[in-house]
């Protein structure tokens, strides 16, 4: 069955440090891939997306993600984290032909001043 | 202007009551969705509509009934509320049914059943 795994439930980084959030998926074909961010009490906001082309995609707020087909991964990165990046991050996979997304269970990011 | 707006933001009600949540989008998108987010932050699709037509109807109790009067609106009515219905319900929209451009989410409705 298709699945999305975010192995890290919580991550804590210091402000200014680099960040990498992991996402792995299980799906036969190349899916549509997304990262969303959810601040407390808010809805989800799209950070970036991939469905074809350059495997390194740039998003908003200085985030980027790299699709690695061989590893079935779509990891999110940021070179220097700001305190305002503290939030919950969700990886999502769109299954072509089904009109459905599957969301990962989320990674909560804490930023230390 | 809020792109996807839901009302109410908070809803506290007793078991057995019937309640509705409304959603409107002003993005001109064709497809709208209802998602449920549980206390562990897990997001699960409930329904999706494309231009007023039901596309996805996941395994949801039939106490939940969506209605889409036009492609800009998607409401959710819940009958005979149960404690397990307590969650945050998110409305979302996408340009088309494939959703390859991503979703735009509302800010959520926190439903508490007591």
């Amino acid at each position: 069955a298709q699945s999305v795994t975010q192995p890290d439930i919580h991550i804590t980084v210091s402000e200014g440090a680099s960040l990498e959030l992991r996402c792995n998926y299980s799906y036969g074909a190349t899916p549509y891939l997304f990262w969303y961010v959810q601040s407390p009490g808010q809805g989800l906001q799209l950070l970036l997306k991939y469905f074809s082309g350059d495997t390194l995609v740039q998003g908003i707020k200085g985030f980027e993600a790299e699709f690695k087909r061989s590893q079935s991964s779509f990891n999110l990165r940021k070179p220097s984290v700001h305190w305002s990046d503290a939030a919950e991050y969700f990886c999502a996979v769109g299954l072509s032909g089904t009109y459905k997304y599957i969301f990962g269970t989320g990674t909560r990011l804490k930023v230390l001043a | 202007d809020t792109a996807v707006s839901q009302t109410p933001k908070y809803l506290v009600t007793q078991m057995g009551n019937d309640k509705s949540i409304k959603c409107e989008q002003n993005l001109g998108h064709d497809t709208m969705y209802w998602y449920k987010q549980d206390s562990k932050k897990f997001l699960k699709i409930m329904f999706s509509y494309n231009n007023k037509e039901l596309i996805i109807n996941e395994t949801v109790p039939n106490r939940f009934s969506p209605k889409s009067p036009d492609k800009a609106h998607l409401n959710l009515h819940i009958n005979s509320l149960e404690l397990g219905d307590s969650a945050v319900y998110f409305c979302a929209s996408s340009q088309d049914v494939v959703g390859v451009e991503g979703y735009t989410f509302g800010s959520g409705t926190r439903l508490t059943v007591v």
Side-chain angles (χ1 to χ4, degrees):
Chain A
Q2 300 93 353
S3 64
V4 180
T5 303
Q6 292 181 245
D8 304 303
I9 299 173
H10 295 102
I11 281 189
T12 301
V13 299
S14 297
E15 193 170 19
S18 63
L19 172 70
E20 182 168 29
L21 303 183
R22 296 181 290 163
C23 174
N24 292 93
Y25 66 89
S26 170
Y27 183 54
T30 298
Y32 311 128
L33 298 160
F34 308 87
W35 275 98
Y36 288 85
V37 60
Q38 185 180 24
S39 298
Q42 300 296 316
L44 282 74
Q45 181 184 20
L46 180 66
L47 284 175
L48 45 77
K49 59 184 183 283
Y50 171 82
F51 55 89
S52 67
D54 192 344
T55 56
L56 183 64
V57 293
Q58 304 297 321
I60 61 171
K61 305 185 184 210
F63 285 93
E64 66 177 27
E66 186 171 14
F67 168 58
K68 292 186 177 180
R69 186 189 306 274
S70 60
Q71 297 176 20
S72 297
S73 69
F74 188 56
N75 294 348
L76 182 71
R77 300 194 293 249
K78 187 169 185 177
S80 176
V81 169
H82 188 262
W83 64 265
S84 60
D85 293 325
E88 190 95 22
Y89 290 80
F90 292 92
C91 179
V93 168
L95 309 179
S96 57
T98 69
Y99 310 138
K100 287 185 189 179
Y101 277 27
I102 299 176
F103 281 84
T105 49
T107 297
R108 178 163 292 182
L109 174 66
K110 183 176 176 180
V111 181
L112 301 176
Chain B
D1 267 351
T2 304
V4 179
S5 57
Q6 296 178 229
T7 54
K9 190 169 176 63
Y10 300 97
L11 190 49
V12 181
T13 187
Q14 291 188 325
M15 274 195 304
N17 283 352
D18 303 338
K19 291 292 178 187
S20 291
I21 307 171
K22 294 181 185 293
C23 179
E24 175 181 4
Q25 55 96 1
N26 62 6
L27 299 166
H29 287 172
D30 284 342
T31 311
M32 296 184 73
Y33 310 82
W34 280 112
Y35 274 82
K36 179 180 180 181
Q37 186 175 49
D38 63 22
S39 58
K40 290 184 165 53
K41 301 284 189 178
F42 181 65
L43 273 158
K44 192 172 188 320
I45 180 76
M46 300 174 71
F47 303 102
S48 78
Y49 272 76
N50 184 60
N51 215 349
K52 302 193 295 178
E53 179 186 351
L54 182 65
I55 299 295
I56 294 175
N57 184 353
E58 285 295 284
T59 312
V60 177
N62 58 14
R63 297 182 294 103
F64 290 79
S65 51
K67 278 195 172 51
S68 183
D70 55 61
K71 75 173 193 176
H73 295 86
L74 180 60
N75 303 322
L76 183 65
H77 188 75
I78 315 170
N79 289 325
S80 304
L81 277 154
E82 300 176 357
L83 291 176
D85 297 330
S86 295
V88 181
Y89 292 84
F90 285 102
C91 177
S93 70
S94 63
Q95 282 185 4
D96 54 40
V97 70
V98 178
V100 72
E101 296 298 324
Y103 293 178
T104 303
F105 282 82
S107 57
T109 296
R110 182 174 294 276
L111 171 64
T112 304
V113 183
V114 298

